[in-house]
Amino acid sequence: MANEKRAMPNILVTGTPGVGKSTLCQQLQERTGFEWLDVGNIAKEFECFDGFDEVYGCPILDEERVLDEMEDKMAEGGKIVDYHSCDFFPERWFDIVFVLRTDNTVLYDRLVQRGYSGKKLEDNIQCEIFQTILDEALGSYKEDIVHALPSNSADDMENNVEKILQWLEHWRNS
Ligand code: ADP
């Protein structure tokens, strides 16, 4: 379904935990003035949880409730949404989708640094190896708005910010 053009676009930044979504979104927020919506934080703020996952040691997201909390904000446009999954958002919300990708060894070190171990660590590394989130994005949004971006180094991060700013400039002029 084609989006009617908003005054400002909405951007989705997704990818396996640890690939650099928050770091990129923070920079984008500073450079664009767009509002960064961290779905995990919204869920915490509005208590959008439905039980507890004992295996991963984290609360289970109540997707419907978090979508309800986000709907009015998304309608305003100018939002950057950050989450490690992407198939439950309405397709109409986003004008562009970026999937950050990180090499396994680099991601492994970042997740160990974050305190992940055992099954949680292994599953997240497998998720990246099998490009699960990229496939999820390609299955949920039009392929031409889904872009995979490498996120291994500070240079990659800077290139990604520049690429997204260029896209935004192009969007504004189109
Ligand atoms: P996510 O939000 O995807 O879970 P974070 O933004 O929290 O990931 O990043 C995880 C860790 O990796 C942080 O310590 C961050 O500084 C580092 N990091 C993220 N992206 C990069 C990058 N492109 N190059 C180097 N380090 C990065």
Side-chain angles (χ1 to χ4, degrees):
M1 183 183 66
N3 282 337
E4 223 172 274
K5 193 168 174 179
R6 281 178 263 268
M8 286 188 288
N10 289 320
I11 298 170
L12 174 60
V13 177
T14 188
T16 310
V19 291
K21 299 181 294 296
S22 311
T23 314
L24 177 69
C25 288
Q26 186 161 12
Q27 291 193 23
L28 286 175
Q29 176 170 253
E30 285 164 14
R31 302 275 296 267
T32 62
F34 280 25
E35 186 182 3
W36 167 24
L37 301 180
D38 178 323
V39 174
N41 285 346
I42 293 172
K44 267 186 224 149
E45 187 181 345
F46 296 100
E47 298 181 358
C48 307
F49 294 116
D50 184 16
F52 192 82
D53 186 327
E54 298 293 344
V55 177
Y56 286 105
C58 61
I60 297 165
L61 189 72
D62 183 331
E63 295 173 352
E64 288 308 317
R65 285 188 51 208
V66 89
L67 294 181
D68 285 348
E69 294 297 343
M70 293 173 70
E71 180 73 62
D72 289 351
K73 278 190 170 287
M74 296 308 295
E76 293 168 1
K79 305 291 181 262
I80 309 163
V81 172
D82 159 6
Y83 199 56
H84 57 258
S85 168
C86 61
D87 60 355
F88 63 96
F89 301 117
E91 188 181 354
R92 65 186 156 77
W93 275 8
F94 298 106
D95 300 282
I96 193 142
V97 176
F98 295 103
V99 184
L100 301 188
R101 302 299 317 277
T102 301
D103 292 347
N104 312 321
T105 49
V106 177
L107 185 63
Y108 186 92
D109 291 345
R110 286 187 200 162
L111 292 179
V112 168
Q113 191 87 24
R114 190 181 266 188
Y116 284 21
S117 63
K119 184 170 167 51
K120 192 171 181 175
L121 175 60
E122 280 166 30
D123 285 357
N124 279 295
I125 295 295
Q126 292 257 331
C127 175
E128 190 58 12
I129 291 172
F130 291 120
Q131 64 171 58
T132 308
I133 311 298
L134 178 57
D135 286 346
E136 192 178 305
L138 289 168
S140 307
Y141 302 92
K142 281 208 240 118
E143 282 193 19
D144 60 344
I145 71 158
V146 175
H147 302 270
L149 299 175
S151 182
N152 296 301
S153 63
D155 278 356
D156 284 346
M157 182 66 66
E158 188 49 35
N159 286 340
N160 293 341
V161 171
E162 289 305 326
K163 207 175 273 184
I164 295 170
L165 292 176
Q166 276 170 21
W167 173 82
L168 197 52
E169 194 57 32
H170 179 77
W171 190 90
R172 285 191 170 120
N173 295 327
S174 65

